[in-house]
Amino acid sequence: MTFLQFPGGFQWGAATAAYQIEGAYNEDDRGLSIWDTFSHQPGTIERGENGDVACDHYHRYRDDVELMAQLGLQTYRFSVSWSRVQPWGYGAINEKGLAFYDRLVDALLEKNIQPAVTLYHWDLPQGLQDLGGWANRDTAERFGEYAALMFERLGDRVTRWITLNEPIVFTLMGHLTGRMAPGIRDIRIAARAIHHALLAHGRAVAAFRASGRAGEIGITNANTSYEPADDRPETQQAVELARDFDSRLFHGPVFGRGYPGSVLRYYESKGAPFPIEDGDMEAIAAPIDFLGVNLYSRARIEPAPERGVGYRTAAPTLPLLPMGYEAAPHALGDFVRWVSKEYGNPRIYITENGVCDNTEPGPDGAIDDHVRIDLLRGFLVGLHGAIEEGADVRAYYQWSLLDNFEWAYGYRMRFGMVYTDFETQARIPKRSAAWYSEVIRRNGVELID
């Protein structure tokens, strides 16, 4: 076997999100979020589940940090529940909620684990949704104020900040397909949500610069590595359209290139123009320090001139994982190469990459999640290749530390390297946890020839 060594100083970590693990949804003066509201509506979540308790991390965070230390994690990405620190999303500050994040950050630093804080991972305060949510321009301003609050409170210890997690998901799946909170199906509202979310990102970056705090700030998005289904020129054109409606729609404005013309024309044809005002695009394009990349798979693309967008996803040709993703470990390296070339080789953190493997404990209690290990190895091999070719990738966060509340799928889908028994809240490291610990210890991965 060949050992692939990652660069010196490369960081290894894991990631989670507040609503997926914290629980304690109505404790210590926390306000409701749109996910509290959405998950309590009949028919929205598989098996009628919700995040009321989740992994009970709010009460068990010290044990979880100890577990991170045992695994050897060097950095940990988590999100702040906005409604825990500002119950309405504006105005009154909840000191009890802020104190929780103080304690969590301090516990991480005691174990020499660098905190990486995501300000928004989908859980908008319900108080802001009642005022229009992301369709309301004021939400971007409230987000800037919330960001400034967090920089003031945690910025003496936290030096890595992510403004938004996966705006493509919470804008489109939350406001176009209705599959995610707040469950809206309206393209006009979706267009407003996209623009206001990116404006919120810009407001947060401005607040960070104004704070004078040391550190770095960026944004992370859900990405797919797009591949042509065949070698026809029109198929390659369809791939570029797919990138317009996915990657470039969210990356283009951040990197000062604006919205793709194909996307603007499509939304305008549907009576859903983006509500751009003077100065917005300059605000969105405020320089960032890194780009966060979340990636799980690829998609094969073929032309579809009969569709307004001009493309569609072709039938998969690789084995499918429980979430419906193709098992495509080459996709991570391929996407990193593309995005590095597209945007001038920015600093990149892989802020999420992982595998859904629903293996249950065996008779001996061990959890042999070999599918996860094999695919993670493949992802890291591809990532190493992209770095060798010049991509500036500095860190990798596996999704996820724990099995958790997987949004509309409830608790059925397991992405954790640590098994969560949701009845007892026991944490059981899987075989993949031991494997990842060895990757961290050696700062590299074995290439099985």
Side-chain angles (χ1 to χ4, degrees), residues 293-309:
V293 168
N294 292 0
L295 186 135
Y296 291 88
S297 191
R298 70 156 188 187
R300 298 170 65 250
I301 299 297
E302 60 189 13
E306 75 283 0
R307 301 188 72 224
V309 295

Side-chain angles (χ1 to χ4, degrees), residues 47-94:
R47 304 185 296 196
E49 294 170 335
N50 57 57
D52 290 2
V53 177
C55 303
D56 196 32
H57 176 73
Y58 188 75
H59 299 112
R60 300 169 186 267
Y61 74 93
R62 289 196 181 278
D63 292 339
D64 289 340
V65 171
E66 179 61 37
L67 182 57
M68 295 178 214
Q70 292 172 8
L71 293 174
L73 297 191
Q74 298 161 346
T75 179
Y76 171 58
R77 177 187 171 219
F78 64 94
S79 76
V80 172
S81 169
W82 186 351
S83 61
R84 197 178 292 285
V85 302
Q86 272 189 308
W88 295 96
Y90 57 91
I93 296 170
N94 179 22

Side-chain angles (χ1 to χ4, degrees), residues 76-337:
Y76 171 58
R77 177 187 171 219
F78 64 94
S79 76
V80 172
S81 169
W82 186 351
S83 61
R84 197 178 292 285
V85 302
Q86 272 189 308
W88 295 96
Y90 57 91
I93 296 170
N94 179 22
E95 282 294 332
K96 294 177 183 176
L98 280 168
F100 168 71
Y101 295 108
D102 270 331
R103 295 192 300 269
L104 175 58
V105 166
D106 288 345
L108 290 166
L109 293 174
E110 287 171 8
K111 297 294 184 179
N112 295 314
I113 300 169
Q114 180 184 1
V117 175
T118 304
L119 291 168
Y120 185 76
H121 200 128
W122 305 3
D123 48 352
L124 189 74
Q126 184 62 42
L128 288 178
Q129 186 62 42
D130 292 343
L131 298 175
W134 288 113
N136 183 352
R137 184 181 176 89
D138 285 348
T139 297
E141 308 307 321
R142 302 294 81 76
F143 185 75
E145 295 163 2
Y146 155 66
L149 166 66
M150 297 312 302
F151 302 145
E152 172 63 26
R153 184 60 175 248
L154 300 182
D156 59 331
R157 289 155 289 157
V158 174
T159 57
R160 184 171 296 165
W161 297 91
I162 297 163
T163 56
L164 305 176
N165 179 77
E166 300 183 340
I168 191 173
V169 177
F170 72 78
T171 58
L172 296 184
M173 295 188 74
H175 301 83
L176 184 60
T177 69
R179 183 80 171 108
M180 300 286 193
I184 294 170
R185 298 177 178 87
D186 188 323
I187 192 170
R188 295 164 298 179
I189 292 177
R192 296 182 65 82
I194 289 167
H195 184 65
H196 293 151
L198 288 173
L199 183 60
H201 157 77
R203 295 288 189 254
V205 173
F208 183 68
R209 303 301 180 209
S211 75
R213 293 294 196 183
E216 55 187 353
I217 191 165
I219 188 172
T220 196
N221 206 33
N223 301 284
T224 301
S225 181
Y226 290 112
E227 302 175 13
D230 56 53
D231 58 5
R232 294 178 296 159
E234 56 265 39
T235 303
Q236 187 57 54
Q237 292 170 1
V239 168
E240 295 308 316
L241 282 172
R243 289 171 172 157
D244 281 355
F245 279 84
D246 186 323
S247 299
R248 294 189 183 110
L249 172 56
F250 293 92
H251 292 141
V254 169
F255 285 100
R257 299 184 185 181
Y259 294 112
S262 58
V263 177
L264 290 175
R265 290 189 294 272
Y266 174 79
Y267 276 83
E268 287 167 1
S269 76
K270 298 294 184 181
F274 285 32
I276 302 170
E277 296 186 10
D278 288 347
D280 285 1
M281 302 313 293
E282 292 80 5
I284 294 169
I288 56 175
D289 301 305
F290 65 87
L291 177 65
V293 168
N294 292 0
L295 186 135
Y296 291 88
S297 191
R298 70 156 188 187
R300 298 170 65 250
I301 299 297
E302 60 189 13
E306 75 283 0
R307 301 188 72 224
V309 295
Y311 69 92
R312 65 171 165 253
T313 302
T317 60
L318 297 173
L320 296 182
L321 298 168
M323 287 281 286
Y325 303 149
E326 284 189 280
H330 64 280
L332 181 59
D334 285 355
F335 181 81
V336 166
R337 291 181 183 90

